[in-house]
Amino acid sequence: MSDLPRKAITRTAKLAALPLGLAGRATWGLGKRIVGESADLVGRELQQRTAEQLFKVLGELKGGAMKFGQAMSVFESALPEELAGPYRAALTKLQDAAPPMPTRTVHAVLVERLGDDWRDLFQKFDDSPSAAASIGQVHRAVWRDGREVAVKVQYPGAGEALVSDLNQLARFARLLGPLVPGIDVKPLVTELKERVCEELDYELEAEAQQAHAEEFADDPDVLVPAVVHRSEQVLVTEWMDGTPMSEVISDGTPEQRDRAGQLLARFLFSGPARTGLLHADPHPGNFRLLTDGSDDPEDWRLGVLDFGTVDRLPGGLPSPIGEALRMALDGEAEAVHARLCAEGFVKDTVELDPEEVLEYLLPIIEPARVAEFSFSRGWLRNQAARLADPRSPAHQLGKRLNLPPSYLLIHRVTLSTIGVLCQLGATVRLRHELESWLPGFTAAG
């Protein structure tokens, strides 16, 4: 790959190959079964090949295609295990890695954005990327003052690629369904499209990251690297070591999983209250567990990266969320229904039984009922099955609810965070975080 593929026809053809390739491999699988191979064996091999192609195409294209893959990766916990297994490894790769941008392209961007003498800004610059994401890749370097830094360089043509990819993915949404059973792809793509302009603006990202870095500067639980230098397509921040969340998910000890989960929940709910901003891209590639050599989990911290997508919430998370959650836990069906109507979750033209609404909500909010809750893939799969089964009363009621635009990003972040907690299999004191940070959750909140 010489550069980020930018021609719409080329990218469209690659994206089209995903559902077409799935159909082709299904035919191949049928042929294998005809000649007598085990259906289970063929099925596993078919899913593995599909997963490998998914990573190859989305990773090579970067842009919106990879962003879509990253967004999907946090929902794999909701899939049945026989389907989730083959996709898990391939999608998790998209959280931390992708084929790199050529060195000459990186240098060209640095010359354009930092000037011909850009090397004078650094004591050392590693041409090999340490990480790759949907619209840029990160290089490790040493700033002129001796600080270790991360240099994020945006792919040339990333904006055009993002818009093109997401437009095409929207058209292919129905065909892409078989790649991720149980996930409604179209709303995910639509919401991603609305965020592309902000994510391309590294100036906005720098402002959001610096606001968090200053607020959490002395925090014992969360570390956000400070911004060192910013320009339109290059962002330089302090370097942060640590164990990637994806490695904690795959190989972490129970203590690491629990601590990572607790801190993730703490950051999710405390961030808006403390900064007026919600970190809106909670896939594992954006988090690190920092142990700093300590054996005591209480000393471990959460490192947070990538503030390209944030929701601006000047008053913190909306208090009606906390109020409705508290009322639901107290069994106040009428009050919950009234609050949901007032916020637009139930349209004026829709009549719902308050008791049925409460019955719909209670299993979902179970983690907030108890002092600590053990998240698991099994629990999430049960929730997903209950809500996705067309025969289920929960499914029928869910179709009649509405998600107001102002809650779209909050909803996705919450679901994504729950997905990560279930991937971790973490036992978390979620109720404690809600009581501490969610407006309206306590009676006096």
Side-chain angles (χ1 to χ4, degrees):
M1 185 185 70
S2 62
D3 201 349
L4 179 67
R6 278 173 281 176
K7 292 184 179 179
I9 189 169
T10 302
R11 301 178 68 81
T12 300
K14 285 181 175 286
L15 289 169
L18 286 174
L20 291 176
L22 179 64
R25 284 187 300 282
T27 303
W28 166 84
L30 177 61
K32 296 270 279 188
R33 283 198 291 273
I34 289 174
V35 298
E37 291 204 25
S38 160
D40 287 343
L41 180 62
V42 171
R44 285 195 297 272
E45 192 171 347
L46 178 63
Q47 290 159 6
Q48 184 61 47
R49 288 184 175 217
T50 301
E52 288 169 355
Q53 188 198 16
L54 183 67
F55 171 62
K56 183 175 184 293
V57 172
L58 297 181
E60 285 180 353
L61 288 177
K62 299 187 174 73
M66 187 174 170
K67 177 60 63 180
F68 170 73
Q70 288 176 335
M72 288 195 303
S73 69
V74 299
F75 294 114
E76 58 84 12
S77 295
L79 303 180
E81 184 59 31
E82 64 271 17
L83 293 174
Y87 293 108
R88 185 173 300 140
L91 288 174
T92 299
K93 287 180 186 177
L94 286 166
Q95 297 165 356
D96 287 310
M101 178 168 38
T103 300
R104 66 179 181 276
T105 307
V106 174
H107 289 180
V109 175
L110 292 171
V111 167
E112 181 181 357
R113 296 302 173 188
L114 301 182
D116 292 333
D117 58 351
W118 67 269
R119 285 193 179 276
D120 293 342
L121 296 171
F122 302 94
Q123 293 183 14
K124 181 181 178 182
F125 184 90
D126 189 347
D127 285 334
S128 299
S130 60
S134 53
I135 64 170
Q137 65 187 37
V138 177
H139 292 257
R140 191 167 189 168
V142 178
W143 193 242
R144 57 191 174 191
D145 62 5
R147 278 183 290 176
E148 282 196 274
V149 294
V151 184
K152 185 153 78 168
V153 182
Q154 192 173 117
Y155 304 126
E160 181 183 343
L162 269 172
V163 174
S164 172
D165 286 355
L166 293 172
N167 283 337
Q168 296 304 327
L169 285 166
R171 293 171 189 166
F172 292 139
R174 183 178 59 83
L175 294 175
L176 285 167
L179 292 174
V180 277
I183 295 175
D184 193 352
V185 172
K186 194 168 183 178
L188 180 61
V189 174
T190 300
E191 200 273 316
L192 288 173
K193 283 173 64 177
E194 294 174 357
R195 295 286 160 179
V196 296
C197 291
E198 282 194 16
E199 194 155 355
L200 288 163
D201 190 335
Y202 280 5
E203 292 280 356
L204 280 177
E205 178 174 350
E207 290 175 9
Q209 180 158 342
Q210 189 58 27
H212 281 83
E214 293 174 3
E215 173 60 36
F216 287 92
D218 299 315
D219 193 280
D221 298 319
V222 176
L223 175 65
V224 178
V227 174
V228 175
H229 185 82
R230 66 183 77 179
S231 71
E232 189 175 334
Q233 288 181 298
V234 178
L235 177 60
V236 183
T237 64
E238 292 178 344
W239 182 264
M240 182 173 64
D241 284 311
T243 304
M245 185 77 83
S246 56
E247 291 184 17
V248 179
I249 288 171
S250 61
D251 302 311
T253 65
E255 292 79 12
Q256 289 175 326
R257 293 168 182 273
D258 291 348
R259 181 62 172 168
Q262 189 70 45
L263 294 180
L264 182 63
R266 183 164 303 162
F267 176 72
L268 168 67
F269 289 105
S270 71
R274 296 173 63 173
T275 68
L277 299 169
L278 173 67
H279 184 291
D281 195 9
H283 71 77
N286 287 337
F287 300 98
R288 302 284 184 269
L289 185 63
L290 314 175
T291 62
D292 297 325
S294 172
D295 293 328
D296 185 355
E298 291 302 312
D299 293 335
W300 300 345
R301 293 184 295 170
L302 182 74
V304 186
L305 301 168
D306 198 338
F307 290 81
T309 306
V310 298
D311 201 4
R312 286 164 177 78
L313 303 169
L317 289 166
S319 59
I321 295 178
E323 293 164 0
L325 181 55
R326 169 172 52 84
M327 294 168 181
L329 292 173
D330 290 342
E332 300 176 14
E334 294 286 349
V336 171
H337 181 263
R339 180 67 68 201
L340 294 179
C341 289
E343 291 300 306
F345 287 93
V346 180
K347 292 185 176 180
D348 294 339
T349 55
V350 174
E351 290 188 12
L352 295 176
D353 183 334
E355 292 294 339
E356 291 180 358
V357 172
L358 185 62
E359 187 176 342
Y360 169 89
L361 291 173
L362 285 177
I364 304 171
I365 63 175
E366 183 183 357
R369 178 185 296 278
V370 292
E372 61 179 29
F373 184 82
S374 295
F375 289 87
S376 69
R377 288 185 166 97
W379 175 79
L380 188 58
R381 283 197 295 269
N382 289 338
Q383 296 303 318
R386 182 178 73 94
L387 299 178
D389 186 351
R391 300 164 298 179
S392 164
H395 175 82
Q396 296 300 324
L397 190 145
K399 288 197 305 182
R400 302 177 68 194
L401 292 173
N402 177 56
L403 185 60
S406 61
Y407 284 92
L408 271 172
L409 206 54
I410 296 171
H411 180 68
R412 182 165 76 84
V413 170
T414 303
L415 289 182
S416 297
T417 302
I418 290 172
V420 176
L421 293 176
C422 290
Q423 288 178 327
L424 284 165
T427 297
V428 175
R429 299 182 304 279
L430 183 65
R431 187 180 181 93
H432 171 73
E433 304 302 338
L434 297 173
E435 290 171 343
S436 300
W437 302 108
L438 182 59
F441 184 70
T442 61

